[in-house]
Amino acid sequence: AQSVTQLDSHVSVSEGTPVLLRCNYSSSYSPSLFWYVQHPNKGLQLLLKYTSAATLVKGINGFEAEFKKSETSFHLTKPSAHMSDAAEYFCVVSDYDNAGNMLTFGGGTRLMVKP
Amino acid sequence: GAGVSQTPSNKVTEKGKYVELRCDPISGHTALYWYRQSLGQGPEFLIYFQGTGAADDSGLPNDRFFAVRPEGSVSTLKIQRTERGDSAVYLCASSSGLAGGVETQYFGPGTRLLVL
């Protein structure tokens, strides 16, 4: 069985400072991992994904995440927060099997960016 | 091109009524997923279609929930005898279904269901 724990339900940063959203996962196989972002009243948008290639994954809007198998972590970072980054972020794990790749979502982290 | 679309965007119904929620996936995508997102939580898997068949319906909470995809494109999620606890945002996602591995799923904007 797979699961995801997002360690912070809320994170608040000032504009221009670094962002760190923490995620730990549990998976029986070699997982694929994703970060999705959800802006208010908008659909989920893929930020980045890891699928067993390079452990440091670069995504859109300056976000990146590092897969650390020994720590079972996949933390999301950004060097400098922008006001438009304020949203809900979901860490997601997937184990592919013959029945497809069901996504398991974490509980989400709400990122607030202060001017 | 067009993304995943869902209709209606909002649905208000009364307890005990029947509702249908529609999902139109990205053209050519053979894999289609339904998820449910309750307030303040992450989405939870409901059902997965590959083509016309439900390959995995292990996430459906009970037999009041049913989904179909008769022609392998549009899907309808059907909820009978709605209960207040069914209130949530219902999300649909699609992927190409051709990669033979983990694929990126593209999500629609969701249908917000409120059961009074």
Side-chain angles (χ1 to χ4, degrees):
Chain A
Q2 53 194 27
S3 66
V4 177
T5 302
Q6 292 184 242
L7 299 168
D8 307 292
S9 59
H10 294 80
V11 169
S12 180
V13 301
S14 297
E15 189 175 23
T17 64
V19 175
L20 170 64
L21 305 184
R22 299 182 294 165
C23 171
N24 286 103
Y25 70 90
S26 172
S27 173
S28 302
Y29 307 99
S30 294
S32 290
L33 293 157
F34 307 78
W35 277 96
Y36 279 84
V37 61
Q38 188 175 41
H39 289 274
N41 300 316
K42 293 192 175 180
L44 287 158
Q45 180 184 19
L46 179 69
L47 276 179
L48 50 82
K49 67 177 180 179
Y50 165 78
T51 55
S52 76
T55 56
L56 183 61
V57 182
K58 294 189 184 297
I60 61 171
N61 300 336
F63 284 94
E64 63 181 37
E66 185 172 8
F67 173 70
K68 292 187 176 180
K69 186 175 181 178
S70 61
E71 299 177 10
T72 62
S73 69
F74 191 58
H75 302 333
L76 182 70
T77 60
K78 183 173 180 178
S80 177
H82 191 272
M83 294 297 291
S84 62
D85 294 328
E88 187 87 19
Y89 291 79
F90 292 98
C91 183
V92 183
V93 65
S94 179
D95 290 331
Y96 177 77
D97 63 20
N98 290 332
N101 54 311
M102 174 187 81
L103 300 181
T104 298
F105 285 76
T109 298
R110 181 165 298 278
L111 176 65
M112 295 168 284
V113 182
K114 298 175 289 187
Chain B
V4 178
S5 61
Q6 294 185 244
T7 54
S9 54
N10 291 279
K11 176 70 178 179
V12 180
T13 191
E14 294 179 344
K15 180 176 178 298
K17 299 289 188 182
Y18 168 82
V19 297
E20 290 189 351
L21 311 179
R22 175 187 168 111
C23 172
D24 210 328
I26 292 172
S27 178
H29 278 190
T30 62
L32 185 147
Y33 300 80
W34 284 98
Y35 295 84
R36 179 169 70 174
Q37 185 175 19
S38 299
L39 192 63
Q41 298 181 23
E44 295 178 314
F45 169 78
L46 294 177
I47 186 169
Y48 156 63
F49 286 90
Q50 179 59 255
T52 60
D56 183 352
D57 65 357
S58 61
L60 294 177
N62 52 60
D63 61 5
R64 295 186 298 105
F65 288 75
F66 190 71
V68 296
R69 196 185 185 199
E71 298 179 356
S73 178
V74 170
S75 176
T76 305
L77 178 66
K78 308 181 180 193
I79 310 174
Q80 299 177 320
R81 304 183 304 280
T82 52
E83 300 177 356
R84 293 194 179 88
D86 299 335
S87 298
V89 177
Y90 290 81
L91 297 168
C92 177
S94 71
S95 67
S96 68
L98 303 175
V102 177
E103 301 179 320
T104 297
Q105 294 182 24
Y106 298 90
F107 283 81
T111 293
R112 187 175 301 274
L113 175 66
L114 177 60
V115 182
L116 300 176

